[in-house]
Amino acid sequence: MRRPEKDEEKFSACGYGLLGLCCSNCLLGPCRISPFEKDSEKGLCGDSSDVMVAKNLFKSVAGETLEELGSLKRAVERSSSLRTEGNAKRDAFSDNQREIFEKYGLPPKRTRKALSRFLFAEAEKLLSPMSRGQSLLLKNLYPEETFPSLYQVPFPPGSLMGYLLDSTGTGSAESSGIETILWNCLQISTAGIICEELKKDINGIFEERADQEEGQILDTLKTVSSHPSPVIIVVEDEKYGSRESIQPIAQRLKESIKGEVPLLSVKAVALLPEIGRRLYKKWTTPVVGTKVMVWISSASTTWTLGALELGFNVISFPSLPIHGSDQVERFFSETLKKRFGNVYFHSWRENLLDEVLEFLTWKS
C-alpha cells in the first residue's frame, strides 16, 4: 500500500472496524461481516455479528488492562528504587501528598518512605496472579456504598492480575453469552482504572506536578449543590489529542447550560474514583443513577467502560465500536440503565446534544 504524502489526508478508520464487524482474533481470518447482512452472515469460526462485536470489545479492554498492569508494575519498581536509594524528599508535605496519606488511612506524620513501603506491599499483592481473598486496600478505596455497581460480582479481588486472567477464560469461551462477555468487559476495565489511580498516587509521593490541577478540580467540587444535581466532567486524553468533535459540542453545551452546571476538565480517568468519593461524601448517595455525566475524548476502551462500571453516565469520542450489533447496543443503552441507572450515549448520533440536554432536564 502506498504511503500517503504529508500534505494528503490521513487514512480513514476501517468502516467495518468502527462497527465492530472486523475480526482478527484467530488465524482463520481476518473476517468481516457486512452490516447489511449481519443477521445472516457469520465469521469463518462461526461467530455471529453479535458475538464478534462483543469479543472485539473484550479483546480491546483486556489488552489495555494488561498494559495498565505493566505500567503500575513499573511505577512500583521506580518507587522502590527511589526509596532504597534514599532519594525520597523529607521536606514538608504538599496538600496533595497529605491527602494521599489520609486516603490510605495512614497518619500524616509518617514519612514518604513509609507510605511508599505500604503502597509497594499492597501493589505487589495486586500484581501477583496467585493472591487470593479480598484486598482490604481496594475495599477501603472503593466502598460498596459509594460504588455499588462494582459489587454485583465478588469485589474487590485479591489480585488484579488474577481478576484479568479469570475473566479472560469467560470472555473468550465459545459457550459464553453476549451479556456475560460484556459484563466481563466492564469488570476488568475496573482493574485498569484502579491501576491508573494507584499509579497516580505512587508517583504523587515523590512528585508535586499534579497538585495545582487536582486541587482546582477538587475545589470546583465544593461549589456543587449539597443535593444530587447535574455535573459534567470532561476527560481529554493528552496522548489522544483533540482529533474528535468533543470541543465543538462541549462548547455548544456550555452555551446551552449558561454556566449553571459545574463543569470539570481532567486529563485522565485516574481522578474519577476520587470525584465519585467526594460527591458521595457531599450527597450521601452514589453517582450511579444521578445526573453526573462524563465526556471522554480518548482512544482507550478501558477509560469509557471503567467510567461506566464506576456508575457514571458516559459519552465517548470516538464512540465504542458496537454499532454493528443491536444486542450489544441495547446492553449499553438499556440493560445497563435498568440494572444500575446509568447510561452510555452514542456520540455518533446527530441529535446527541438534544439527548444530553434532555437527560440533564435542560431545554435546547
Side-chain angles (χ1 to χ4, degrees), residues 1-294:
M1 182 179 292
R2 182 178 66 89
R3 291 186 179 182
E5 299 295 332
K6 290 183 179 180
D7 296 334
E8 290 183 298
E9 292 185 4
K10 294 181 179 179
F11 288 121
S12 298
C14 169
Y16 289 89
L18 289 173
L19 300 174
L21 293 175
C22 179
C23 176
S24 59
N25 286 343
C26 74
L27 295 180
L28 292 177
C31 300
R32 63 185 187 183
I33 295 176
S34 168
F36 304 106
E37 300 177 8
K38 61 183 181 180
D39 294 332
S40 58
E41 284 192 354
K42 291 186 177 182
L44 291 174
C45 67
D47 281 351
S48 66
S49 58
D50 294 323
V51 173
M52 181 179 288
V53 171
K55 283 188 175 180
N56 278 339
L57 202 62
F58 182 88
K59 179 182 178 182
S60 176
V61 72
E64 289 177 15
T65 301
L66 187 60
E67 288 182 11
E68 286 300 333
L69 287 165
S71 183
L72 174 61
K73 177 177 179 290
R74 290 187 290 274
V76 169
E77 290 171 343
R78 175 176 176 272
S79 167
S80 178
S81 174
L82 288 172
R83 177 162 51 85
T84 55
E85 291 174 9
N87 291 333
K89 297 179 181 178
R90 293 182 177 274
D91 53 352
F93 295 143
S94 67
D95 290 340
N96 179 61
Q97 290 164 335
R98 278 192 292 270
E99 287 177 355
I100 294 175
F101 272 83
E102 293 173 6
K103 178 193 289 190
Y104 294 98
L106 296 175
K109 292 184 179 181
R110 297 186 67 174
T111 65
R112 286 186 178 91
K113 285 187 177 182
L115 178 57
S116 177
R117 280 195 298 269
F118 170 76
L119 288 180
F120 180 89
E122 292 297 325
E124 193 173 40
K125 295 176 188 175
L126 293 173
L127 289 169
S128 169
M130 304 309 294
S131 296
R132 295 301 175 188
Q134 288 189 330
S135 167
L136 292 179
L137 170 70
L138 296 186
K139 196 172 183 66
N140 291 332
L141 278 183
Y142 301 86
E144 185 172 3
E145 62 269 20
T146 308
F147 303 106
S149 54
L150 298 181
Y151 287 79
Q152 300 305 303
V153 296
F155 185 90
S159 162
L160 295 179
M161 179 62 77
Y163 201 42
L164 174 60
L165 294 175
D166 292 343
S167 298
T168 300
T170 305
S172 60
E174 292 183 10
S175 59
S176 297
I178 306 300
E179 286 201 2
T180 300
I181 296 173
L182 297 175
W183 285 122
N184 270 281
C185 288
L186 289 169
Q187 290 156 18
I188 63 173
S189 69
T190 310
I193 301 295
I194 291 170
C195 287
E196 291 260 6
E197 182 172 24
L198 289 176
K199 183 174 62 175
K200 176 182 73 68
D201 288 345
I202 288 172
N203 291 334
I205 298 171
F206 303 102
E207 301 173 3
E208 302 180 12
R209 291 178 298 178
D211 286 2
Q212 185 175 1
E213 179 197 8
E214 185 168 342
Q216 290 173 346
I217 292 167
L218 298 180
D219 284 343
T220 303
L221 285 176
K222 296 176 182 178
T223 67
V224 174
S225 169
S226 58
H227 302 286
S229 56
V231 178
I232 298 170
I233 305 162
V234 179
V235 184
E236 288 195 83
D237 189 348
E238 289 182 310
K239 296 180 291 185
Y240 179 63
S242 300
R243 289 178 287 176
E244 286 291 328
S245 57
I246 191 171
Q247 288 293 352
I249 195 169
Q251 183 59 40
R252 288 167 56 201
L253 178 65
K254 288 180 184 179
E255 294 170 358
S256 299
I257 61 179
K258 299 176 181 178
E260 296 182 43
V261 175
L263 193 151
L264 310 176
S265 294
V266 300
K267 296 177 181 177
V269 292
L271 271 177
L272 289 184
E274 183 61 25
I275 291 173
R277 288 188 284 265
R278 297 292 179 106
L279 290 176
Y280 178 83
K281 187 175 181 180
K282 180 180 281 284
W283 294 341
T284 64
T285 189
V287 294
V288 66
T290 67
K291 301 292 185 179
V292 180
M293 179 175 285
V294 177

Side-chain angles (χ1 to χ4, degrees), residues 316-329:
S316 67
F317 301 84
S319 183
L320 290 174
I322 60 176
H323 194 37
S325 167
D326 295 336
Q327 186 174 349
V328 176
E329 281 200 317

